[in-house]
Amino acid sequence: MRYNEYFRSRLADLQDEGNYRVFIDLQRRRGAFPEAVQTDGAARRDVTIWCSNDYLGMGQHPDVLAAMHDAVDRCGAGAGGTRNISGTTHDHVLLEAELADLHGKEAALLFTSGYVSNWAALGTLASEIPGCIVFSDALNHASMIEGIRHSRAQKVIWKHNDLEDLEAKLAAADPDAPKLIAFESVYSMDGDIAPIKEICDLADRYNAMTYLDEVHAVGLYGPRGGGIAEREGLMDRLTVIEGTLGKAFGVVGGYIAASAELVDFVRSFASGFIFTTALPPAIAAGAAASVRHLKASNAERDLQKTRVAQLRERLDAQGIPHLPNPSHIIPVMVGDPVKCKFISDTLLEEFGIYIQPINYPTVPKGTERLRITPSPVHSEADLDHLAQALETLWARCQIARMPMAAQ
């Protein structure tokens, strides 16, 4: 085989399909998010970011930055090792305590990313519990799918958010087998929300554990930012709550929160935890500052809700099709990969607006979209500029609009 020729051929196929990913070279402006500078060769242009997962702008918050600067001055750059071999600093211990408290759990465990926390925790639980059957929602994140696959445990996929299908599959399983139901609260591409209470009811009925991925909800929902489960008063009914520090908390890292025994079990058996260098102390300190701030402040969450509603109103007025959902994610539906990429490119080049196109395989073919995430640091002028730009490009691309009654 001529390896490089094969690589070029496959990449050319992606480009022809409109599914080739291009990384935009951005320099975020401290204290001015969502404003950034894009570098394209020798050219530089000012852009407004509309697709960030830094949902509340906490990556720029003064408390977070001050905590990180302080930790660098106290501890230096890196942790110096794995958690087991010199890499557990006091900042890690404090952050895990904050996260356990956030979710009303006995303990929490840090990982290097949300992807790794899902992969390692699910993979460990499903592989180390003899005969465990994992019931996985059909739209679970790739990190959850990979963790379950890595475990080699029996996997049963149930239709997305379909309680009847879940119960039928639970009822058909061996009643004596250990069971684990894995699902998300807010699904990142469509923005819909799982029926957590009803899933917990089924888990109780069939003696199953529950594993809830709250990565797109922590910081954003609940009186202290504990996620959808906190908002609905259900945290105590969930076996494991998994979250990220890289989205609404504005830093990086992942975690699980659960009973002391379960957390210690994962800590002791998960290769993805044991054999990797710990997060830098400054990251842990910054994340802890973000968690503490959002436990006490609702201002960011309230303004974000306002901005989401305001943008939806503007899109409705112009007939721009977007999926209705009860979350902060606004999927603007294009339905064609080439047009989706063209709109994204033109928004950047002509209007200084950056929204990454979401194409296959992230979403099914025919559902290509712009995934927009309004934040409290977007202004009303930003909203107007985005809405006007989308209206111009919808007309240019001759994409169907939705009547007001259909919104």
Side-chain angles (χ1 to χ4, degrees):
M1 173 180 275
R2 296 183 177 181
Y3 297 108
N4 283 334
E5 287 185 12
Y6 173 75
F7 299 149
R8 281 193 293 270
S9 173
R10 291 294 303 277
L11 291 170
D13 290 343
L14 283 179
Q15 292 169 332
D16 292 342
E17 296 164 1
N19 292 326
Y20 181 74
R21 291 174 170 87
V22 176
F23 292 169
I24 306 299
D25 184 347
L26 296 170
Q27 180 174 304
R28 285 158 57 106
R29 287 177 167 164
R30 180 172 64 86
F33 181 77
E35 303 306 316
V37 175
Q38 182 214 357
T39 301
D40 185 5
R44 290 165 62 86
R45 68 162 64 89
D46 294 333
V47 300
T48 302
I49 300 172
W50 277 100
C51 56
S52 175
N53 285 338
D54 186 358
Y55 291 131
L56 299 176
M58 292 301 295
Q60 306 284 311
H61 195 280
D63 291 353
V64 176
L65 302 186
M68 295 182 74
H69 281 294
D70 174 69
V72 168
D73 291 339
R74 284 189 289 105
C75 304
T82 66
R83 288 291 299 275
N84 185 51
I85 305 177
S86 83
T88 295
T89 72
H90 192 53
D91 289 296
H92 295 91
V93 174
L94 292 176
L95 175 55
E96 286 173 339
E98 288 285 355
L99 294 167
D101 172 76
L102 176 66
H103 295 292
K105 298 296 185 185
E106 292 176 338
L109 189 67
L110 281 172
F111 294 84
T112 51
S113 73
Y115 190 104
V116 172
S117 57
N118 270 334
W119 177 83
L122 277 170
T124 299
L125 290 169
S127 65
E128 295 292 337
I129 299 173
C132 185
I133 305 171
V134 183
F135 296 82
S136 178
D137 185 285
L139 293 189
N140 276 343
H141 190 264
S143 58
M144 302 175 77
I145 294 168
E146 287 298 323
I148 297 165
R149 181 181 297 151
H150 176 73
S151 76
R152 298 186 179 178
Q154 181 181 346
K155 176 179 67 175
V156 177
I157 299 174
W158 50 287
K159 296 176 184 177
H160 176 55
N161 280 350
D162 188 324
L163 295 167
E164 290 185 4
D165 189 54
L166 174 58
E167 180 162 24
K169 288 178 166 56
L170 286 166
D174 178 354
D176 295 324
K179 301 173 183 66
L180 174 61
I181 303 171
F183 62 108
E184 301 181 39
S185 57
V186 178
Y187 286 84
S188 63
M189 288 299 117
D190 289 351
D192 54 336
I193 294 176
I196 300 175
K197 176 185 179 299
E198 292 78 6
I199 293 172
C200 289
D201 291 341
L202 290 175
D204 291 345
R205 190 175 308 159
Y206 292 93
N207 191 27
M209 298 182 294
T210 48
Y211 184 104
L212 176 64
D213 176 322
E214 288 256 45
V215 296
H216 292 279
V218 290
L220 297 166
Y221 300 92
R224 299 199 309 157
I228 299 295
E230 185 197 22
R231 186 188 72 180
E232 299 180 5
L234 297 169
M235 291 192 298
D236 62 311
R237 299 190 63 189
L238 292 150
T239 311
V240 182
I241 296 175
E242 185 267 349
T244 184
L245 304 168
K247 293 183 170 62
F249 292 128
V251 193
V252 69
Y255 65 89
I256 61 168
S259 68
E261 293 85 358
L262 188 149
V263 167
D264 197 15
F265 184 85
V266 172
R267 182 189 71 87
S268 299
F269 289 101
S271 64
F273 175 83
I274 295 169
F275 296 106
T276 191
T277 300
L279 289 168
I283 296 295
S290 183
V291 173
R292 283 194 296 270
H293 177 84
L294 290 174
K295 282 179 179 178
S297 173
N298 281 304
E300 292 83 4
R301 288 188 281 272
D302 291 343
L303 186 51
Q304 188 210 36
K305 291 183 181 72
T306 297
R307 293 291 182 251
V308 169
Q310 289 172 331
L311 182 57
R312 284 192 181 276
E313 290 170 359
R314 286 163 169 78
L315 297 176
D316 286 346
Q318 296 165 358
I320 304 295
H322 56 99
L323 289 182
N325 64 52
S327 76
H328 59 285
I329 296 166
I330 303 180
V332 170
M333 306 306 291
V334 180
D336 178 279
V338 175
K339 287 183 178 179
C340 195
K341 187 176 186 308
F342 171 80
I343 291 172
S344 173
D345 291 345
T346 308
L347 283 171
L348 188 63
E349 294 164 6
E350 293 188 16
F351 299 94
I353 291 169
Y354 171 48
I355 308 174
Q356 188 72 10
I358 306 295
N359 290 347
Y360 179 84
T362 305
V363 295
K365 292 181 179 180
T367 68
E368 294 81 8
R369 67 197 65 186
L370 302 173
R371 179 183 179 273
I372 302 176
T373 54
S375 77
V377 289
H378 286 99
S379 67
E380 291 200 54
D382 291 332
L383 294 172
D384 290 336
H385 182 54
L386 172 61
Q388 290 161 7
L390 287 173
E391 183 177 31
T392 298
L393 292 177
W394 237 250
R396 189 180 303 177
C397 292
Q398 299 180 328
I399 301 174
R401 297 175 187 252
M402 293 184 68
M404 284 290 293
Q407 300 292 333

